């Protein structure tokens, strides 16, 4: 009886199928991407935190995105790295650890959407109501909106995983590259109607709210820019919106991939890499697109590098 209980608590996870010849290149590539994600995002947070001149709503929202990206990448990539050199038949994970990873992965996805909604609203106020921007988007308001984004995602995901944890399990195999809610409740032989309804319902609410608000916001910004005669400001505003939308579209495509994969098993192998991209591609691109695009951040980054270079030269001459 004890062996049976133990076996049901230890889950076999198929993960990414990597050939022995590709193991080393895949490990090095994933490791380099993970290091870049950690260094770039943490550096961006530290720079914004240390520089008082950057304590503005837009940069505080960048901090939200960077912290969430570090969290999401850490929830998925280290496990993938450890599985690269492990044979598929020997990849096991404890059920509790699997639940924790699934919670972190969904929490990262939900927070990404809610934070992007706030960033779209911030750009809307800045471009469409510039005279009221300072009174509407105060640092206190940004903190409230950010806290609301994280709490809303936490509640959605907590209920999602809570409905899954209550189920008994009759299977032990997960074919996804990492643990997620759909993979977990598929381990049960019980009636999964409630899980399907809430899972699809919460996904529809989050994605439709995100897609609807971002689309309407940037459509309104485009209309305002086209009616404005200041070509320089229009160009900068549209460029900002274009980069935000590019990141959002990448994240949106990556959000739909796991859902399609779970409903079309024949696409599972092709969908594995795509589902991992949600926790790899946006966290790697966000600090480049959001950070380096802003003139103030570029200037601060350049000044930091120049200051470090001068200090290194002084220490060398000593």
């Amino acid at each position: 009886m004890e062996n049976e209980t133990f076996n049901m608590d230890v889950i076999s996870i198929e993960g990414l199928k990597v050939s022995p010849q590709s193991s080393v290149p895949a490990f090095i590539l994933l490791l380099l991407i993970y290091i870049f994600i950690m260094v770039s995002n943490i550096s961006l947070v530290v720079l914004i935190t240390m520089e008082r001149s950057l304590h503005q709503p837009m940069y505080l929202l960048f901090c939200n995105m960077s912290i969430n990206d570090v969290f999401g990448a850490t929830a998925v990539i280290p496990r993938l790295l450890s599985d690269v050199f492990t044979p598929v038949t020997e990849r096991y994970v404890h059920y509790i650890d699997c639940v924790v990873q699934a919670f972190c992965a969904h929490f990262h996805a939900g927070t990404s959407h809610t934070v992007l909604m706030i960033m779209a609203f911030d750009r809307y106020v800045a471009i469409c109501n510039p005279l009221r921007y300072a009174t509407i988007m105060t640092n206190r308001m940004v903190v409230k909106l950010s806290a609301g984004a994280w709490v809303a995602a936490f509640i959605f995901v907590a209920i999602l995983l809570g409905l899954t944890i209550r189920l008994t399990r009759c299977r032990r195999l997960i074919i996804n590259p990492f643990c997620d809610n759909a993979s977990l409740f598929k381990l049960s032989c019980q009636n999964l109607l409630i899980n399907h309804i809430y899972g699809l319902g919460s996904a529809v609410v989050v994605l439709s709210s995100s897609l609807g608000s971002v689309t309407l916001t940037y459509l309104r910004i485009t209309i305002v820019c086209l009616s404005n005669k200041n070509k320089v400001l229009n160009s900068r505003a549209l460029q900002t919106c274009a980069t935000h939308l590019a990141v959002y579209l990448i994240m949106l495509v990556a959000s739909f991939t796991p859902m399609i994969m779970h409903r079309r098993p024949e696409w599972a192998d092709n969908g594995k890499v795509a589902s991992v991209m949600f926790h790899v591609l946006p966290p790697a691109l966000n600090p480049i697109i959001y950070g380096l695009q802003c003139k103030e951040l570029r200037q601060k980054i350049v000044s930091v590098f120049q200051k470090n270079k001068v200090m290194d030269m002084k220490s060398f001459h000593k």
Side-chain angles (χ1 to χ4, degrees):
M1 187 71 173
E2 291 179 358
N3 289 336
E4 183 180 352
T5 303
F6 174 79
N7 289 337
M8 294 310 297
D9 284 341
V10 178
I11 298 169
S12 176
I13 182 166
E14 188 176 278
L16 291 173
K17 293 181 179 179
V18 182
S19 64
Q21 297 80 8
S22 304
S23 296
V24 174
F27 180 86
I28 293 175
L29 178 62
L30 263 179
L31 181 61
L32 290 176
I33 292 174
Y34 182 61
I35 291 173
F36 176 77
I37 289 172
M38 299 298 290
V39 172
S40 59
N41 282 286
I42 292 175
S43 299
L44 194 62
V45 172
V46 171
L47 177 63
I48 294 172
T49 303
M50 299 294 291
E51 291 291 338
R52 296 184 63 88
S53 60
L54 298 178
H55 292 182
Q56 300 173 28
M58 181 172 62
Y59 302 118
L60 296 178
L61 293 175
F62 288 167
C63 282
N64 272 271
M65 187 63 72
S66 293
I67 292 170
N68 185 49
D69 286 339
V70 167
F71 176 79
T74 303
V76 173
I77 298 179
R79 175 74 196 187
L80 294 175
L81 288 171
S82 67
D83 286 344
V84 168
F85 297 110
T86 305
V88 175
T89 55
E90 298 178 12
R91 294 175 182 173
Y92 298 104
V93 59
H94 197 280
Y95 180 74
I96 297 301
D97 296 333
C98 197
V99 170
V100 171
Q101 186 184 46
F103 180 89
C104 294
H106 286 284
F107 184 55
H108 165 245
T111 306
S112 296
H113 283 282
T114 52
V115 171
L116 277 172
M117 290 167 62
I118 299 174
M119 293 178 74
F121 175 72
D122 173 75
R123 292 299 84 203
Y124 169 77
V125 177
I127 296 171
C128 299
N129 294 286
L131 298 179
R132 299 184 58 195
Y133 180 78
T135 57
I136 296 175
M137 294 300 293
T138 61
N139 288 350
R140 186 174 182 180
M141 176 58 71
V142 173
V143 171
K144 288 181 179 179
L145 291 173
S146 300
W150 288 75
V151 170
F154 182 89
I155 292 173
F156 270 114
V157 178
I159 297 174
L160 187 74
L161 270 298
L163 291 172
T164 298
I165 293 173
R166 68 186 175 87
L167 300 171
T168 57
R169 302 182 298 281
C170 62
R171 303 183 185 91
R172 298 179 56 237
L173 176 63
I174 290 178
I175 62 172
N176 208 35
F178 55 89
C179 297
D180 64 343
N181 181 62
S183 297
L184 285 172
F185 70 62
K186 283 182 178 180
L187 299 176
S188 177
C189 294
Q190 291 181 249
N191 188 343
L192 304 176
L193 182 61
I194 296 177
N195 295 78
H196 282 293
I197 292 175
Y198 182 81
L200 287 173
S202 59
V204 168
V205 169
V206 173
L207 290 175
S208 61
S209 300
S210 173
L211 182 60
S213 61
V214 169
T215 301
L216 291 174
T217 300
Y218 286 122
L219 185 62
R220 176 60 180 164
I221 290 174
T222 303
I223 294 173
V224 170
C225 289
L226 292 177
S227 61
N228 194 337
K229 296 181 180 181
N230 192 326
K231 293 183 179 181
V232 176
L233 291 178
N234 289 347
S235 177
R236 291 181 60 185
L238 290 175
Q239 184 181 3
T240 302
C241 293
T243 51
H244 286 201
L245 282 174
V247 172
Y248 180 76
L249 289 175
I250 293 172
M251 190 183 71
L252 198 64
V253 171
S255 298
F256 280 108
T257 301
M259 293 189 291
I260 296 173
M261 186 183 71
H262 281 294
R263 283 154 182 79
R264 298 299 296 269
E266 65 271 20
W267 295 352
D269 289 337
N270 295 328
K272 284 181 179 182
V273 175
S275 65
V276 171
M277 286 298 101
F278 180 85
H279 302 277
V280 174
L281 198 57
L285 291 178
N286 285 342
I288 298 174
I289 294 175
Y290 288 127
L292 298 182
Q293 186 203 18
C294 297
K295 183 179 179 181
E296 293 84 355
L297 277 176
R298 288 202 307 270
Q299 291 174 344
K300 291 296 180 183
I301 292 171
V302 171
S303 65
V304 168
F305 275 112
Q306 289 177 343
K307 187 183 296 184
N308 290 336
K309 187 175 180 181
V310 171
M311 292 178 65
D312 290 340
M313 291 294 292
K314 289 182 178 179
S315 61
F316 175 77
H317 286 300
K318 287 182 180 180

